[in-house]
Each structure stands twice: as structure tokens, then as C-alpha cells.
Amino acid sequence: MIDRKVVSSIVEEWLQDKEYFLVDVSVSDDDKIVVEIDHAQGVWIDDCVSLSRFIEARLNREEEDYELEVGSAGIGQPFKVLQQYLIHIGADVEVMPKEGGRKLVGVLKAANEQQFTITVKKKVKPEGAKRPQMVDEDIAFRYDEIKYTKYLISFK
């Protein structure tokens, strides 16, 4: 079986001096290799082809038969690495907390290695007011407190 760490190091070698970053590498029991990369401005097919050829040149098909798939992390898929949070600061995201079970939609405000913050709109009725008003509320999450965070596609 092909070692995931070997494939990851090959990908990291290709990524040097590029603005792409590695999202995930998986290798199934039947040696299907799936490599996901991302970039702040999106992933170009020519770069996926280049990375695929780079990997193939470093793996020996005589020793192991494998299937290779190289692509982008996929729009609308849950974030897997910190860099995905960082490139989407200021964008609308959907967060599913582990506790509470209610999806939250807001703007990704900040992210670091420990946590991230989203700004959500919340109805609040100020004391003495007749109607509730929409106010911004920042909510911080540790990564272990959520099931997923996804970029929200908007067609406005």
C-alpha cells in the first residue's frame, strides 16, 4: 500500500514557492490516492495536471498500481485546514456546532490556530423599544466545538 506520508511529502515539494496549499491527502486500501489543494483565488486545472504529473513521476507504477486524483478542495465542502479559514475571512460561512444542533450563518471575522470568530445578525429588543432590532454579535468557536464550517456560495 502506498504511504500517505510519502504522497504528502511529494505534494509539499511541488507546493514550494507556490501560493497553493495542501488541504488533504487520502489513500484508500485499494491505493486510490486523492489529493486536495486550494488557493486564495481558486484552483486552476493546469496546476492540477502539473501536480498530478509531478506525483506520477515520483511514484513507481512497477512497484504499486494506483489511481490518482488531484483537485481542489471543493466549494461548499467543509474546511479542513486553517488556511481555508484565513482565505475566507470576510466571507459568509455556515457553522454547525457540535452542541445545540442549529446551523449558524455569519461572516467569518477572524481565525487563528486555536479558534475562529463569526459575526451573526441577531434580533434584540432594546429596553423600552417597540420592535426588535438587528444587531451584530461575534461568536468564537474552538475547532473541536464544531462539526463543520463551510463557505456559503452567494448569487446576489
Side-chain angles (χ1 to χ4, degrees):
M1 183 171 165
I2 295 174
D3 186 356
R4 180 185 175 282
K5 290 179 183 175
V6 169
V7 177
S8 293
S9 68
I10 293 169
V11 173
E12 290 295 344
E13 182 183 345
W14 182 84
L15 291 171
Q16 286 180 354
D17 303 322
K18 293 180 179 65
E19 292 183 21
Y20 282 96
F21 58 91
L22 179 61
V23 174
D24 194 24
V25 172
S26 64
V27 180
S28 68
D29 291 338
D30 60 346
D31 282 339
K32 178 177 181 179
I33 303 167
V34 178
V35 176
E36 295 178 8
I37 57 173
D38 209 345
H39 186 284
Q41 277 78 47
V43 176
W44 302 102
I45 189 79
D46 292 344
D47 293 323
C48 290
V49 170
S50 171
L51 175 55
S52 180
R53 289 181 178 150
F54 188 84
I55 294 168
E56 287 177 346
R58 282 152 180 78
L59 295 178
N60 187 347
R61 280 203 186 266
E62 300 299 319
E63 291 176 18
E64 299 255 14
D65 190 28
Y66 61 87
E67 179 182 346
L68 176 61
E69 182 180 311
V70 175
S72 69
I75 213 160
Q77 295 297 313
F79 296 167
K80 295 180 181 177
V81 296
L82 175 60
Q83 284 176 288
Q84 289 177 294
Y85 284 87
L86 295 175
I87 67 172
H88 288 97
I89 288 176
D92 290 334
V93 294
E94 175 183 287
V95 177
M96 175 62 87
K98 285 182 180 175
E99 302 296 320
R102 197 178 111 238
K103 292 179 196 173
L104 297 171
V105 173
V107 175
L108 183 59
K109 183 177 183 177
N112 61 38
E113 291 179 9
Q114 289 76 38
Q115 66 181 23
F116 66 96
T117 304
I118 64 169
T119 303
V120 297
K121 298 281 187 195
K122 181 179 178 181
K123 278 188 182 179
V124 174
K125 187 175 178 185
E127 194 173 316
K130 292 183 179 183
R131 295 180 179 222
Q133 297 175 347
M134 295 300 282
V135 296
D136 289 345
E137 179 183 9
D138 288 348
I139 303 172
F141 294 96
R142 289 188 325 268
Y143 298 102
D144 63 354
E145 295 176 320
I146 62 163
K147 290 181 183 175
Y148 65 80
T149 302
K150 294 180 183 180
Y151 170 70
L152 274 183
I153 303 165
S154 177
F155 297 103
K156 294 178 187 177

